[in-house]
Amino acid sequence: MATDPNTEGGVNPKPAEERLRHYVGSEIEDIADARDGEEEEDEEEEEEEEEEEAREVGMRSAPRKEKLKRAFRRLSQGPVRIRVHDVIIRGNAKTKDALIEAEVFDAFRSASTMQELLQAANFANTRLRRLDIFDSVSITLDSGPSELPGTANVVIDIVEVKNPLTGDLGVYTKPEARSWSLEGSLKLKNLLGYGDIWDASGAYGFDQTSEISVGVALPRFKAISTPITTRISLLSQDWLKFSSYKEHLLGLSVGLISTKKHDLAYSLTWRNLLDPSRMSSKAIRSQLGHSLLSSIKYTYKIDHRDSNVRPTRGYAFQSSSHIAGLGPDSKLLRFFRQEFDLRGAIPLGFYNTALNFGVAAGAILPWVGYTNSTTPLPERFYMGGHSSPICGLGGPTSLLGFKQRGLGPMDLRRVLSPKQSQDEATASSGGGDDASGSIASPGRDAIGGDLAVTAFADLSFDLPLKVFQDAGVHGHVFVNAGNLVMLSEELTNFSFQRFLHTFRSSAGFGIIFPTRFFRMEINYCYILKQFQHDHGKTGIQFSFST
Amino acid sequence: MDDERVEDAQEIVLVARKGGFGLPTACPVCLPVYCYLRFAKVNFKLRIDRSNPDSDHIPYVEYGDYVALNNEKGGVLEILNEENIIQLDSELSKDCFSDWVSTKVMISTWLAEAVQYELWVACDSSIADYIYFSDLPWAIGKVLHWNQSRAVKQLHGITKLNVTEKEEEIYRKANLAYNALSAKLGNEEFFFEERPTSVDALFLAHAAFVINALPETSLLRSSLVKYANLTRFVETFKGDMLEASCSSSQTASPFEASSSSVPRTKKSKQSPKPKPKKRERTEEEKSFRRRAKYFIAAQVVSVLIFLTVLGGMGDFGVDDDDNDGLAYDD
């Protein structure tokens, strides 16, 4: 069997291309000849010399392109029957054979024709590269044993990563943080040979979140053929400015199923809410303390839009269900949280305009005793902030024009008695908290809501200048609305009419800059409707989404 | 304002840790406040907090729109005194003032430390578990208990080498204190001026806890019960002052989770001042900040425009490699 010089220190083949080196029947010979001729010609000459030593000379006489045409003609006339006899793996000093075999076996086993075999080889190449633990992957089709005609051997040559430790810095979105963050991480690849990727990361989020976590991801684990991830994280979020509390989390999360459409994860989280400012409202104060969350979260997502950055046609849907309280201990937090998110995009046919629209809704309820117990503060819905609702499927959280946690149920912060505020004035140089803009007023804490609904409509269009069009910079006008209410006290008194009447809304226009890292919008928002304690502001606003 | 406070007395709420051992609140930090309010004959409601075993803001008292937290300005009792909500200690005569102060300090330091030691180090862990952690999930309770025991040992400088000496010192001081208190009380009903003061409330809470919650094998308990008049003091007032049903109603905190509270001496800030609020900004500073924000925003926008318009778009528009059906989909 001729060897492939390219995998022994020579130039590696182009990504996602396998090279046919050996021939089973004349059809394969022709294809290989022709393809070799068309691509890397220098290497071809070298290989040709080597091959001539082992093979018939006459094959090389016909022009290569003619051979390729003939080969494809034969292939197109009908299936060329062939089956895979053996899969040989070379180059894996550390990686377990079983891992590589499990990634590729199914594809090769089911291939019964030459065409299917080529496809399977391409597929296997992609799968192995996606493991992210190899520097290069090369798949060669070899002839099977001479006593078994019509068979092929598959030779997989891999080069494992030379340096298993890599560092990374980037901007990511994380579902558990519900926002985007700047993250630096160190990755250790394939430590145990099972395709395991260990990583330690630190993240700083733009919603005052900081996190340190370590995790391991396995491409497959025993019978489960989808990736499994486990993560332990220590997270701290500072909500003092908006809700007068800080949140410390120590969590273990296990991602059980992670495919394009489905995501199932279990998490066990120890959460502590505290108030170092001692200014929290009564509603927040009653929620301070320790709690343990044992929950499972299932997300179903489909996104058939044509682009993540500027959707012009298609639809997307996401449903996220979160059940907490799994375990024998009756003191675990117990609630059920559901979110729906539906987006659509319709092209309007002129100037590349498109109409995007969407509606998102979410609700959270305690399991038992829902009329007299409350939902946990960090799990409630909050609205407002700098994220744009148009592209991402983030649930009912975005309402352009309103500040972070800027609408919904609020509670009055602690009022200092005159004597206390006098002491405060002498101790520090300022007066009372000016969250609401007034020195005397103590401000309000956003306490979140149990039922949230948002909706938006957006018309995007190209800008007249060609330079903008080429760069993808475009404009949009939008209108959006949202509402957030507490449910637990009002479940029996819930009035749909009142809920509709208390919707806040805003409208505006802006320019969108899609960059490599994120999509930025510069919008002018005009608040159409807001209520007394909301923090909506008419004016220029920046929005980001990744 | 005084009239309002008198009216607000109807709305006084004491938030404390859970009760047990025949006591309305079994936490030795919360019980003195309870006794104080009862001695002052104030109508109040008792609300139980189950989630904060290690926080020092508990116990706290809500009175109208205001709240007195225990981790401010010397504690709840000090604040209630200063706000004139309760004036149990006003009008003490100058003669007994210094005596009163030193007695109060003795109870608040020596006896309080002795109770802490008994609860977290000497005695069986089940007492502290019941009071502070029985309403929390088991795993959290275990970790917090271990943490608090370690904090108490650190606070008293107790190590494996000096545990015996430290223990002797703690008990010796407690004994001295009991001796002094017994001598001070004599056959009187109250410690000072034949009327209740905060010293009576503090000692009643301490002694009721020691007698009811600590086991009979406890050295501290044995020291206390040797003094008949101190025991009589507890028995006299226990019925009136410490019955949970009298003029107070217990309401559970919303979560229904039992959380024992541990006085958190390690992590919480002990500073007497609350976190300083934002300084009142002058107009100049405000406009300066606004201009600075616009300047930075303009810089960011120009960099981004440069990157997008002149530097190319990047990979955002490229479809996934998965489009040929190689995704991990079902």
Side-chain angles (χ1 to χ4, degrees):
Chain A
M1 232 169 355
T3 55
D4 183 356
N6 284 346
T7 57
E8 290 176 354
V11 174
N12 285 329
K14 285 181 192 169
E17 280 184 6
E18 68 281 1
R19 301 191 54 128
L20 291 176
R21 309 301 304 155
H22 296 272
Y23 316 118
V24 180
S26 56
E27 293 88 356
I28 315 290
E29 293 174 7
D30 293 343
I31 294 171
D33 274 345
R35 285 189 65 168
D36 289 350
E38 282 187 356
E39 296 147 5
E40 297 133 283
E41 203 152 0
D42 292 338
E43 295 162 338
E44 287 304 320
E45 287 171 1
E46 254 183 82
E47 290 153 4
E48 278 175 15
E49 282 169 9
E50 291 184 6
E51 282 166 11
E52 273 174 8
E53 290 170 26
R55 330 198 113 268
E56 304 85 339
V57 177
M59 283 189 291
R60 305 262 179 218
S61 55
R64 292 195 174 101
K65 278 194 182 153
E66 189 51 46
K67 283 205 168 192
L68 182 65
K69 280 183 194 163
R70 198 169 62 221
F72 279 127
R73 220 177 302 129
R74 281 182 212 155
L75 277 178
S76 64
Q77 276 164 9
V80 177
R81 302 222 68 85
I82 193 169
R83 66 175 180 83
V84 173
H85 172 71
D86 194 12
V87 174
I88 300 157
I89 300 167
R90 300 195 297 220
N92 55 327
K94 204 199 294 182
T95 315
K96 307 282 184 251
D97 277 354
L99 169 72
I100 299 172
E101 286 164 9
E103 290 289 316
V104 306
F105 254 8
D106 284 341
F108 285 124
R109 196 179 292 124
S110 61
S112 57
T113 67
M114 194 62 217
Q115 292 88 334
E116 284 175 6
L117 189 56
L118 290 174
Q119 260 188 328
N122 198 16
F123 174 75
N125 198 309
T126 311
R127 285 283 289 244
L128 290 173
R129 281 176 197 281
R130 198 200 302 210
L131 288 177
D132 201 22
I133 53 173
F134 303 125
D135 273 344
S136 77
V137 177
S138 162
I139 298 185
T140 305
L141 297 181
D142 200 346
S143 58
S146 49
E147 59 272 19
L148 295 172
T151 59
N153 280 349
V154 178
V155 180
I156 301 177
D157 289 294
I158 55 168
V159 177
E160 291 171 335
V161 285
K162 289 185 199 57
N163 182 14
L165 188 69
T166 54
D168 212 350
L169 189 72
V171 177
Y172 301 99
T173 48
K174 278 202 293 274
E176 59 269 21
R178 287 182 230 146
S179 78
W180 52 292
S181 56
L182 176 69
E183 188 173 314
S185 69
L186 286 175
K187 270 190 194 165
L188 199 59
K189 295 185 185 180
N190 209 11
L191 187 68
L192 303 173
Y194 291 100
D196 44 303
I197 298 182
W198 302 76
D199 74 292
S201 67
Y204 178 73
F206 287 85
D207 57 352
Q208 294 87 35
T209 311
S210 53
E211 180 180 356
I212 300 171
S213 62
V214 294
V216 58
L218 282 171
R220 51 182 56 237
F221 182 71
K222 296 196 167 120
I224 304 174
S225 61
T226 56
I228 287 197
T229 55
T230 306
R231 187 153 217 96
I232 294 178
S233 48
L234 188 63
L235 186 145
S236 164
Q237 267 187 295
D238 184 345
W239 296 112
L240 284 171
K241 189 175 163 195
F242 309 103
S243 302
S244 300
Y245 73 90
K246 267 179 109 152
E247 187 179 345
H248 291 156
L249 286 181
L250 174 64
L252 166 73
S253 67
V254 180
L256 296 165
I257 295 174
S258 174
T259 67
K260 228 177 162 189
K261 283 190 190 172
H262 306 280
D263 194 279
L264 184 69
Y266 168 79
S267 58
L268 184 67
T269 309
W270 175 356
R271 183 186 282 141
N272 186 18
L273 304 182
L274 25 102
D275 175 25
S277 69
R278 295 193 288 252
M279 290 301 294
S280 53
S281 57
K282 192 170 169 185
I284 302 285
R285 210 163 41 232
S286 64
Q287 294 254 1
L288 298 177
H290 295 268
S291 57
L292 188 64
L293 185 70
S294 166
S295 67
I296 203 150
K297 186 169 181 180
Y298 170 69
T299 308
Y300 173 74
K301 178 177 172 178
I302 48 173
D303 194 345
H304 293 314
R305 294 177 298 179
D306 57 348
S307 162
N308 278 341
V309 179
R310 186 180 175 182
T312 53
R313 70 171 68 239
Y315 67 94
F317 172 74
Q318 177 167 290
S319 158
S320 174
S321 310
H322 194 182
I323 303 174
L326 306 176
D329 199 332
S330 60
K331 296 150 202 151
L332 298 170
L333 280 183
R334 287 178 162 175
F335 60 84
F336 176 68
R337 190 178 195 269
Q338 176 67 46
E339 273 180 35
F340 290 111
D341 210 327
L342 179 66
R343 301 285 151 91
I346 302 172
L348 296 179
F350 54 91
Y351 288 125
N352 212 10
T353 50
L355 176 68
N356 271 280
F357 55 88
V359 63
I364 177 173
L365 284 177
W367 271 22
V368 288
Y370 56 82
T371 50
N372 59 5
S373 63
T374 57
T375 47
L377 195 65
E379 300 296 335
R380 292 181 190 163
F381 294 94
Y382 297 90
M383 246 184 238
H386 296 293
S387 64
S388 165
I390 293 154
C391 292
L393 292 161
T397 55
S398 311
L399 199 61
L400 293 171
F402 288 82
K403 292 189 179 164
Q404 178 102 14
R405 297 197 172 191
L407 68 121
M410 303 269 184
D411 195 9
L412 187 66
R413 280 188 183 144
R414 179 184 176 192
V415 178
L416 292 176
S417 68
K419 188 153 196 337
Q420 284 171 327
S421 27
Q422 208 178 13
D423 291 343
E424 277 295 303
T426 52
S428 63
S429 54
D433 190 45
D434 59 349
S436 62
S438 147
I439 293 169
S441 164
R444 287 179 178 260
D445 288 331
I447 60 174
D450 297 332
L451 177 66
V453 178
T454 58
F456 77 92
D458 174 273
L459 187 73
S460 64
F461 49 87
D462 277 343
L463 295 173
L465 290 176
K466 193 167 189 319
V467 66
F468 286 141
Q469 287 171 20
D470 290 341
V473 176
H474 55 281
H476 71 145
V477 292
F478 61 88
V479 61
N480 58 3
N483 198 1
L484 183 62
V485 294
M486 287 297 291
L487 259 190
S488 15
E489 301 126 30
E490 297 180 8
L491 196 59
T492 44
N493 306 334
F494 181 69
S495 157
F496 195 60
Q497 284 265 342
R498 192 156 46 108
F499 183 70
L500 285 180
H501 280 136
T502 49
F503 258 81
R504 284 78 158 173
S505 56
S506 67
F509 58 89
I511 302 179
I512 296 161
F513 294 87
T515 71
R516 188 177 233 141
F517 302 109
F518 50 80
R519 174 191 143 113
M520 185 179 83
E521 297 179 17
I522 304 177
N523 297 320
Y524 177 82
C525 296
Y526 178 75
I527 306 292
L528 296 169
K529 187 174 177 188
Q530 68 171 327
F531 290 94
Q532 188 191 4
H533 300 298
D534 294 341
H535 296 306
K537 193 176 166 198
T538 292
I540 294 188
Q541 194 190 40
F542 289 79
S543 289
F544 300 93
S545 52
T546 51
Chain B
M1 192 54 102
D2 286 333
D3 291 342
E4 283 175 10
R5 288 201 192 102
V6 167
E7 287 168 6
D8 284 347
Q10 296 284 336
E11 300 169 10
I12 292 181
V13 177
L14 168 66
V15 177
R17 295 173 183 126
K18 71 185 275 187
F21 307 106
L23 301 168
T25 165
C27 165
V29 179
C30 304
L31 196 54
V33 182
Y34 184 92
C35 294
Y36 193 77
L37 290 170
R38 293 305 303 276
F39 270 120
K41 295 188 180 1
V42 169
N43 272 331
F44 66 96
K45 285 187 178 158
L46 177 66
R47 194 162 74 221
I48 303 297
D49 182 294
R50 300 177 194 279
S51 311
N52 288 282
D54 55 349
S55 175
D56 57 359
H57 73 279
I58 288 181
Y60 61 89
V61 172
E62 290 170 351
Y63 49 105
D65 285 335
Y66 308 118
V67 61
L69 301 173
N70 202 39
N71 54 357
E72 285 181 323
K73 270 201 303 191
V76 181
L77 299 183
E78 279 298 315
I79 299 173
L80 294 176
N81 259 321
E82 282 184 12
E83 297 287 325
N84 295 323
I85 305 287
I86 295 147
Q87 291 162 306
L88 218 51
D89 296 335
S90 63
E91 297 164 11
L92 273 170
S93 68
K94 284 184 188 169
D95 300 335
C96 66
F97 182 72
S98 56
D99 203 9
W100 174 84
V101 169
S102 44
T103 311
K104 190 172 174 182
V105 168
M106 188 173 61
I107 300 175
S108 308
T109 53
W110 289 1
L111 293 185
E113 283 169 11
V115 161
Q116 267 210 332
Y117 178 80
E118 285 287 287
L119 192 56
W120 297 107
V121 183
C123 284
D124 183 19
S125 62
S126 61
I127 303 172
D129 270 341
Y130 175 79
I131 299 170
Y132 295 103
F133 307 114
S134 54
D135 288 328
L136 279 180
W138 177 85
I140 296 182
K142 284 288 164 214
V143 174
L144 289 176
H145 190 151
W146 172 84
N147 201 31
Q148 182 57 20
S149 305
R150 197 180 54 87
V152 167
K153 285 179 189 165
Q154 220 170 20
L155 188 68
H156 292 110
I158 299 173
T159 62
K160 280 181 187 162
L161 300 172
N162 67 5
V163 61
T164 322
E165 291 167 22
K166 288 285 177 185
E167 192 178 279
E168 280 175 12
E169 189 187 327
I170 287 170
Y171 288 137
R172 183 182 61 82
K173 284 183 185 169
N175 260 321
L176 270 179
Y178 290 146
N179 203 354
L181 287 166
S182 178
K184 179 68 200 162
L185 183 65
N187 291 322
E188 302 293 327
E189 194 183 2
F190 299 104
F191 281 95
F192 293 95
E193 294 186 347
E194 296 171 6
R195 65 180 180 90
T197 63
S198 54
V199 165
D200 300 275
L202 287 172
F203 182 72
L204 175 63
H206 166 88
F209 179 81
V210 168
I211 291 173
N212 288 292
L214 295 183
E216 290 185 3
T217 50
S218 157
L219 291 176
L220 189 66
R221 189 178 187 278
S222 326
S223 307
L224 178 59
V225 299
K226 280 189 300 196
Y227 297 93
N229 61 345
L230 297 179
T231 320
R232 173 193 45 86
F233 178 82
V234 175
E235 293 303 319
T236 308
F237 290 109
K238 190 180 160 193
D240 286 339
M241 296 294 138
L242 296 177
E243 268 177 31
S245 54
C246 281
S247 86
S248 68
S249 58
Q250 296 200 23
T251 53
S253 75
F255 272 157
E256 311 291 339
S258 62
S259 62
S260 28
S261 330
V262 171
R264 193 176 189 175
T265 50
K266 184 175 80 80
K267 285 185 190 169
S268 63
K269 294 176 189 163
Q270 289 288 345
S271 70
K273 304 172 199 168
K275 182 177 169 188
K277 311 230 181 19
K278 284 188 202 165
R279 286 190 302 117
E280 183 185 337
R281 295 191 186 132
T282 61
E283 281 306 310
E284 266 182 33
E285 271 188 42
K286 278 183 195 167
S287 72
F288 173 75
R289 280 175 187 270
R290 204 176 338 121
R291 280 184 204 150
K293 273 186 208 167
Y294 286 144
F295 175 74
I296 289 170
Q299 295 293 312
V300 167
V301 167
S302 55
V303 167
L304 285 168
I305 291 175
F306 174 78
L307 284 174
T308 55
V309 173
L310 299 171
M313 286 303 300
D315 298 333
F316 71 91
V318 176
D319 284 339
D320 273 349
D321 287 339
D322 299 337
N323 275 352
D324 55 356
L326 301 177
Y328 283 118
D329 53 11
D330 49 352

